[in-house]
Amino acid sequence: MAEVFAGAIDKGLEGVVACTTGISSIVDAQLFYSGYLIEDLAENSTFEEVVYLLWNGRLPKANELEKFNNELNANMSLSAEKVELLQKLPTKNVHPMAWLRSAVSMMALWDDKSQSDEDADRHEVALRLTAKVGSLVALFERTRQAKEYVSPQAGKSFAWNFLHMLNGVEPDADSVKVFDTCLILHADHELNCSAFSARVTASSLSDLYSAVTSAIGTLKGPLHGGANEAVMRMLLEIKTVDNAKAWIKSALENKEKVMGFGHRVYKNGDPRAKVLRGMSKILCENAGTEYYEMSKAIDDTVQSEKGLLPNVDFYSASVYYSMGIPLDLYTPIFATSRVSGWIAHIFEQYSKNRIYRPRGEWTGESSLKYVPVADR
Ligand code: COA
């Protein structure tokens, strides 16, 4: 006889509070990292400082920030041995998120601290992971273009180094600022799907690499991090501002989801989308493309037809496109930043752990009698 529950939840745990957290919060449609408003951080902070904030719950003093910047910077490089082996992994017809998921998992095999549960060792692993995900993304891109791996440079920011390692040319200050702001905006987001998945893995007291690998697999899906790439594919398919309204209306009539719209928590707009919209406008105008205008026309149509507002993935697509970043790297870039938030969640989970083990209400037949295979 199946156990009877008060009410099964087949609605993606909507409204369920699964843990307490001190990392980031969404309050009245505003996003805060450790109590600081996201718009304030986007304008004034750096990615490195935000990582420190997410991991420590407070902003660093000048000497602490300098030390942390240097630690992250020192951990960005990939050894010649790793580069040689990783360059042998397939990249043709391989989605970079699949490659990244495998590469991060492989990194554990070279890390003698990966299985340690000592705080100091875990901190070292956390730094390595956070610093190296972006380096892996850059290595993937250069490998598939048959180009050499570019090493990080000391004394340069994380954003500067990522763009340099990706493109092999020194980025200009404006591109570095835009990219750094994108990293800040994507670093954490309360109990999003991938952070939850990282926490579930950590709750079995598995290691940091396993939890981050789980999270990368979760971020990959088009309903989560994969939406930014899908948005750009949609913009390229729509082609012109004039086509936008009719294209969206037809998609909605066909009950298709318009990528980059809607959110489980924000029903009156995602604050990150507003920051990215401003950046998209400037970058598209500078590049002389119509993608901002097209995005705005789509935004207006989805709002008027369906009452849905853009999320973080909508305007980030045209921002990355304007920066010349290949479409299928948009989600790996999301991971490059979000790994910092996942790690904050993993540590928080370890610090007050109880294994996640919900129940499932049985809806099938019960008390069936086994029938030997020959009699079925
Ligand atoms: N385009 C069209 N309709 C959408 C939509 C979208 N992007 N997002 C939600 N809806 C519709 C749903 O079909 C549903 O309609 P219904 O009540 O007629 O069935 C209604 O709005 C409620 O949406 P629901 O799917 O229940 O929301 P959710 O909380 O389960 O899912 C998302 C949230 C983000 C997964 C969802 O909005 C979505 O799939 N968006 C597109 C993918 C995306 O941009 N993901 C990135 C998130 S940051």
Side-chain angles (χ1 to χ4, degrees), residues 248-316:
I248 294 296
K249 281 179 114 171
S250 153
L252 291 173
E253 273 160 27
N254 293 328
K255 303 270 173 236
E256 285 168 28
K257 278 199 166 171
V258 183
M259 289 295 136
F261 284 87
H263 201 274
R264 173 63 62 79
V265 184
Y266 301 117
K267 299 300 176 195
N268 296 315
D270 179 335
R272 301 165 301 173
K274 288 179 199 141
V275 180
L276 286 158
R277 185 173 59 207
M279 288 158 65
S280 165
K281 185 171 191 296
I282 295 169
L283 288 169
C284 292
E285 276 171 11
N286 290 349
T289 68
E290 280 195 323
Y291 294 113
Y292 171 75
E293 293 304 327
M294 207 188 287
S295 302
K296 193 71 189 63
I298 295 170
D299 188 347
D300 293 343
T301 310
V302 177
Q303 273 193 58
S304 61
E305 296 292 317
K306 193 83 190 171
L308 290 169
L309 291 152
N311 57 49
V312 70
D313 291 312
F314 188 63
Y315 286 101
S316 59

Side-chain angles (χ1 to χ4, degrees), residues 162-178:
F162 177 81
L163 293 173
H164 186 234
M165 291 170 83
L166 182 71
N167 299 319
V169 288
E170 297 201 359
D172 61 71
D174 288 346
S175 303
V176 174
K177 175 66 187 154
V178 166

Side-chain angles (χ1 to χ4, degrees), residues 86-163:
L86 290 163
Q87 281 170 332
K88 294 201 171 92
L89 295 179
T91 55
K92 212 172 174 193
N93 299 324
V94 167
H95 195 282
M97 281 299 276
W99 188 97
L100 183 66
R101 188 193 56 221
S102 306
V104 166
S105 186
M106 278 175 69
M107 298 293 279
L109 310 182
W110 283 294
D111 191 335
D112 59 3
K113 304 271 171 74
S114 70
Q115 303 307 308
S116 172
D117 55 9
E118 297 292 324
D119 282 351
D121 292 343
R122 278 181 169 164
H123 182 72
E124 263 187 47
V125 173
L127 273 172
R128 274 200 272 285
L129 268 165
T130 304
K132 287 191 203 315
V133 167
S135 310
L136 290 171
V137 174
L139 175 66
F140 170 88
E141 180 57 24
R142 295 195 65 82
T143 304
R144 78 170 163 184
Q145 287 186 28
K147 291 182 177 161
E148 288 298 305
Y149 164 71
V150 176
S151 303
Q153 289 190 18
K156 298 289 187 186
S157 71
F158 185 92
W160 189 98
N161 266 313
F162 177 81
L163 293 173

Side-chain angles (χ1 to χ4, degrees), residues 205-373:
L205 295 184
S206 191
D207 62 285
L208 275 148
Y209 283 94
S210 300
V212 168
T213 304
S214 298
I216 293 174
T218 308
L219 186 73
K220 181 173 179 288
L223 295 189
H224 189 13
N228 52 13
E229 179 185 338
V231 169
M232 198 60 227
R233 295 200 187 283
M234 171 176 75
L235 292 175
L236 293 173
E237 195 181 320
I238 293 175
K239 285 193 181 76
T240 66
V241 181
D242 293 344
N243 290 341
K245 195 170 178 181
W247 196 98
I248 294 296
K249 281 179 114 171
S250 153
L252 291 173
E253 273 160 27
N254 293 328
K255 303 270 173 236
E256 285 168 28
K257 278 199 166 171
V258 183
M259 289 295 136
F261 284 87
H263 201 274
R264 173 63 62 79
V265 184
Y266 301 117
K267 299 300 176 195
N268 296 315
D270 179 335
R272 301 165 301 173
K274 288 179 199 141
V275 180
L276 286 158
R277 185 173 59 207
M279 288 158 65
S280 165
K281 185 171 191 296
I282 295 169
L283 288 169
C284 292
E285 276 171 11
N286 290 349
T289 68
E290 280 195 323
Y291 294 113
Y292 171 75
E293 293 304 327
M294 207 188 287
S295 302
K296 193 71 189 63
I298 295 170
D299 188 347
D300 293 343
T301 310
V302 177
Q303 273 193 58
S304 61
E305 296 292 317
K306 193 83 190 171
L308 290 169
L309 291 152
N311 57 49
V312 70
D313 291 312
F314 188 63
Y315 286 101
S316 59
S318 46
V319 167
Y320 293 147
Y321 193 82
S322 304
M323 294 181 77
I325 294 171
L327 267 60
D328 60 1
L329 291 194
Y330 297 1
T331 316
I333 284 171
F334 195 154
T336 296
S337 162
R338 184 58 63 88
V339 62
S340 62
W342 294 331
I343 283 173
H345 281 275
I346 295 164
F347 277 114
E348 190 175 68
Q349 186 63 40
Y350 287 151
S351 74
K352 48 181 179 181
N353 188 57
R354 191 160 184 222
I355 191 166
Y356 281 109
R357 204 306 184 188
R359 297 296 308 273
E361 189 177 324
W362 174 246
T363 56
E365 288 182 66
S366 292
S367 308
L368 298 176
K369 181 129 179 54
Y370 182 79
V371 180
V373 67

